[in-house]
């Protein structure tokens, strides 16, 4: 209404101004040109300009200069970036917890009733969730979805649904549900109510929610060996869990050979002694009892094992592969029924299968033969002295180890295989002392010398 009144006033002023000018000229000619014409015209023009007045509220209808537009956009971007980045940092100065994260979300909701910039804020919140440790909390995800304005993005007809009504907001909501899916978070009824209020029953986020409800229960227990989200904090319990997961044998027995403790030397220095946890099954004990005492066994490692974002290391007690000439094949009688044979699940089956002429057997399979593994262990330190204690503990249940020579083939594990969530610590077996490397090189040199001596003796015998 104000703009219409202003336009009418300007048109009236334009119509009256030429009439005033002609009247002034006629009076000036009749009076002989000696009147206050300039003053009259100036007053008329001044009053005309005074009538044409626009308030500051109506200036926004007039086009602004490009420089002012650029400056306004820069200031808006700076304010939005500073607000979104500093909002979580200020809330998490003292501690990054669920309460501080919710405080940052509440501050954004109270800052503006229209919730301008809510899409950028939701993306920033999704990025900051792992830092606050709330990436697996369904209540926090529902609080983030509650940031969207309600009943604004609901399509009103089929044309709006067909052309993806408010695509930016729908993509943002789908991204929230995808992050829930990646972290294994199951949506609940509150999530459905929020999505229905924001995007309606036919929106893409609601369809994503329905697909998650269909597929999540089917794949929730698909892994037969699940890893818990919260791993044990105690290194001994973590070693037990890891070794049981590697062995996958119900008869295997876990033994704690040494608990971590602090020892004080004669000089008064404190020495941290590591833990030693091992595992061995009855089948491995029987294989070790049949081992040839003239051939050595080897302690090898460390080998990495990833449990979600945590990496642990284990060591093996194994032997070299048996040469083909020394192998003894055990014949299994197919008619034998005993503790090692079952009618329903036989260990050996001889079937004459018909082979089609079109079958292709040109592929090659490389069978890699490895030596038998007799035991496994996990320690806090991977030096030779610690692993020697493990071997001495194994001798209590495997007396043959006292007759078999034991060689250590240890390697330095990569330092980057660490717990990504914790501070960098010394991994079990990753950092070896210089003495260990020296022992490794000495063993390698001794083996080379023995091989050279055997070759020389063999050559001398051939000459004789």
């Amino acid at each position: 209404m104000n703009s219409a009144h202003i336009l009418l006033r300007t048109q009236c002023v334009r119509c009256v101004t030429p009439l005033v000018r002609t009247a002034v000229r006629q009076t000036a000619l009749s009076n002989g040109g000696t009147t206050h014409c300039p003053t009259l015209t100036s007053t008329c023009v001044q009053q005309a300009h005074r009538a044409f007045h626009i308030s500051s509220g109506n200036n926004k209808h007039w086009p602004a200069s490009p420089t002012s537009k650029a400056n306004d956009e820069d200031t808006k971007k700076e304010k939005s970036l500073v607000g979104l980045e500093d909002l979580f940092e200020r809330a998490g100065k003292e501690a990054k917890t669920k309460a501080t994260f919710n405080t940052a979300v509440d501050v954004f909701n109270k800052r503006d009733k229209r919730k301008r910039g809510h899409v950028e804020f939701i993306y920033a919140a999704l990025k900051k969730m792992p830092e606050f440790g709330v990436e697996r909390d369904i209540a926090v995800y529902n609080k983030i979805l509650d940031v969207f304005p309600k009943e604004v993005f609901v399509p009103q007809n089929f044309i709006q649904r067909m052309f993806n009504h408010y695509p930016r907001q729908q993509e943002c909501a789908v991204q929230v549900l995808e992050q829930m899916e990646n972290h294994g978070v199951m949506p609940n009824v509150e999530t459905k109510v929020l999505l229905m209020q924001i995007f309606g029953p036919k929106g893409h986020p609601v369809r994503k929610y329905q697909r998650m409800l269909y597929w999540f229960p089917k794949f929730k227990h698909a892994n037969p060996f699940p890893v818990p989200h919260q791993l044990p904090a105690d290194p001994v319990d973590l070693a037990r869990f890891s070794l049981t997961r590697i062995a996958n044998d119900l008869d295997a027995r876990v033994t704690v050979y040494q608990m971590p403790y602090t020892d004080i030397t004669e000089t008064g220095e404190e020495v941290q002694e590591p833990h030693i946890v091992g595992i061995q099954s009855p089948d491995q004990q029987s294989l070790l009892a049949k081992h040839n005492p003239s051939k050595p066994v080897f302690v090898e490692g460390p080998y990495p094992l990833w449990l979600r974002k945590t990496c642990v290391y284990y060591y093996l007690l194994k032997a070299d592969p048996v040469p083909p000439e020394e192998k003894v094949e055990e014949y299994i009688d197919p008619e034998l029924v005993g503790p090692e044979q079952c009618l329903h699940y036989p260990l050996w089956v001889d079937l004459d299968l018909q082979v089609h002429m079109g079958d292709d057997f040109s592929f090659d399979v490389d069978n890699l033969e490895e030596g038998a593994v007799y035991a496994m262990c996990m320690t806090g330190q991977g030096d030779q002295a610690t692993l020697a204690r493990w071997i001495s503990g194994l001798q209590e249940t495997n007396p043959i180890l006292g007759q078999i020579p034991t060689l250590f083939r240890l390697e330095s594990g990569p330092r980057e295989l660490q717990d990504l969530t914790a501070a960098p610590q010394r991994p079990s077996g990753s950092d070896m002392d210089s003495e260990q490397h020296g022992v490794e090189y000495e063993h390698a040199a001794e083996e080379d010398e023995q091989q050279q001596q055997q070759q020389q003796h063999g050559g001398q015998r051939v000459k004789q």
Side-chain angles (χ1 to χ4, degrees):
M1 295 295 293
N2 293 331
S3 59
H5 285 301
I6 291 168
L7 291 173
L8 289 173
R9 293 176 66 180
T10 53
Q11 290 177 0
C12 295
V13 169
R14 290 177 181 175
C15 295
V16 172
T17 302
L19 297 174
V20 172
R21 288 180 180 175
T22 54
V24 169
R25 289 176 183 175
Q26 290 177 2
T27 53
L29 292 172
S30 62
N31 295 330
T34 58
T35 58
H36 301 285
C37 298
T39 58
L40 183 60
T41 56
S42 62
T43 55
C44 293
V45 173
Q46 285 177 2
Q47 289 191 4
H49 287 295
R50 284 176 187 172
F52 187 73
H53 176 71
I54 299 177
S55 64
S56 59
N58 295 321
N59 287 336
K60 60 184 179 181
H61 298 285
W62 293 85
S65 61
T67 56
S68 62
K69 283 185 178 180
N71 294 331
D72 293 340
E73 290 178 358
D74 294 338
T75 54
K76 287 181 181 179
K77 287 182 180 180
E78 290 177 359
K79 288 181 180 179
S80 62
L81 290 175
V82 170
L84 295 178
E85 290 179 358
D86 293 345
L87 202 58
F88 292 97
E89 294 179 359
R90 292 174 183 174
K93 276 186 177 180
E94 298 180 358
K96 293 185 177 181
T97 58
K98 178 181 177 180
T100 55
F101 189 88
N102 291 336
T103 302
V105 177
D106 293 335
V107 169
F108 177 80
N109 288 332
K110 295 178 182 179
R111 188 171 63 176
D112 189 2
K113 293 183 179 180
R114 297 182 179 180
K115 298 181 180 181
R116 297 173 181 173
H118 58 275
V119 175
E120 291 80 3
F121 175 78
I122 290 174
Y123 281 122
L126 294 177
K127 186 178 179 181
K128 292 288 184 180
M129 287 182 74
E131 298 182 9
F132 287 80
V134 293
E135 67 274 9
R136 293 186 180 90
D137 196 337
I138 183 60
V140 177
Y141 283 105
N142 291 335
K143 195 173 186 64
I144 291 175
L145 289 174
D146 196 21
V147 175
F148 283 103
K150 307 300 184 296
E151 299 179 358
V152 178
F153 311 124
V154 180
Q156 302 299 326
N157 48 51
F158 72 96
I159 297 177
Q160 292 181 351
R161 293 194 210 101
M162 184 172 58
F163 286 100
N164 197 7
H165 197 50
Y166 286 97
R168 191 158 171 260
Q169 282 74 14
Q170 292 197 48
E171 290 176 1
C172 182
V174 170
Q175 186 66 30
V176 175
L177 296 175
E178 285 184 354
Q179 184 161 331
M180 293 172 59
E181 184 179 2
N182 294 334
H183 290 288
V185 181
M186 185 75 174
N188 54 11
V189 180
E190 185 181 356
T191 309
K192 178 183 178 181
V193 172
L194 288 171
L195 294 175
M196 295 284 284
Q197 290 179 354
I198 299 168
F199 300 102
K202 299 296 184 179
H204 292 287
V206 177
R207 293 182 180 179
K208 176 69 177 177
Y209 165 81
Q210 294 171 352
R211 294 189 185 101
M212 290 175 66
L213 286 184
Y214 178 80
W215 289 109
F216 255 50
K218 295 181 181 296
F219 293 103
K220 187 175 183 180
H221 304 288
N223 186 6
F225 307 101
V227 180
H229 293 289
Q230 296 293 335
L231 295 174
D234 188 9
V236 177
D237 295 338
L238 182 60
R240 283 177 178 172
F241 175 77
S242 304
L243 291 174
T244 306
R245 185 178 179 84
I246 297 172
N248 192 21
D249 190 353
L250 298 178
D251 297 331
R253 187 164 60 96
V254 179
T255 306
V256 180
Y257 297 98
Q258 179 176 300
M259 294 292 292
Y261 66 95
T262 303
D263 189 14
I264 300 176
T265 60
E266 297 178 355
T267 58
E269 298 180 358
E270 294 184 356
V271 179
Q272 298 290 337
E273 296 295 339
H275 65 277
I276 303 174
V277 183
I279 188 171
Q280 191 179 31
S281 65
D283 295 338
Q284 290 175 327
Q285 291 181 1
S286 61
L287 286 174
L288 183 56
K290 298 177 184 179
H291 185 78
N292 188 2
S294 62
K295 294 186 177 181
V297 292
F298 303 94
V299 178
E300 296 182 355
Y303 298 103
L305 172 66
W306 282 98
L307 300 173
R308 295 193 182 276
K309 294 184 179 180
T310 304
C311 183
V312 293
Y313 295 84
Y314 64 95
Y315 297 85
L316 300 178
L317 177 65
K318 61 182 299 185
D320 284 337
V322 180
E325 60 272 8
E326 297 182 8
K327 286 185 178 179
V328 179
E329 295 183 0
E330 296 182 0
Y331 176 74
I332 300 176
D333 189 359
E335 298 181 356
L336 177 63
V337 178
E340 297 182 355
Q341 189 75 2
C342 179
L343 291 174
H344 300 285
Y345 301 99
L347 298 178
W348 180 71
V349 179
D350 187 8
L351 298 177
D352 187 10
L353 301 177
Q354 295 181 359
V355 181
H356 193 267
M357 296 299 294
D359 293 342
D360 186 11
F361 296 98
S362 59
F363 58 88
D364 297 329
V365 178
D366 295 333
N367 294 323
L368 179 61
E369 296 184 0
E370 295 184 354
V373 177
Y374 298 133
M376 291 183 294
C377 84
M378 284 187 177
T379 63
Q381 295 178 1
D383 52 356
Q384 184 177 351
T386 305
L387 295 174
R389 298 177 193 172
W390 171 50
I391 299 299
S392 62
L394 281 174
Q395 289 183 7
E396 298 178 2
T397 55
N398 303 273
I400 196 173
L401 282 175
Q403 306 173 9
I404 301 175
T406 304
L407 300 179
F408 295 85
R409 295 191 293 200
L410 306 178
E411 298 178 357
S412 59
R415 293 188 177 184
E416 59 269 13
L417 298 179
Q418 296 286 339
D419 186 0
L420 300 179
T421 59
Q425 299 176 356
R426 181 181 180 182
S428 56
S430 62
D431 297 335
M432 301 299 171
D433 299 331
S434 60
E435 296 179 359
Q436 174 185 339
H437 293 286
V439 171
E440 180 183 352
Y441 296 144
E442 288 176 3
H443 286 305
E446 290 176 1
E447 291 178 358
D448 293 337
E449 290 178 0
Q450 291 177 2
Q451 292 178 0
Q452 291 178 3
Q453 290 177 2
Q454 291 177 0
Q455 291 177 1
Q456 290 178 1
H457 289 302
Q460 290 177 3
R461 289 176 183 175
V462 170
K463 288 180 181 179
Q464 289 177 358

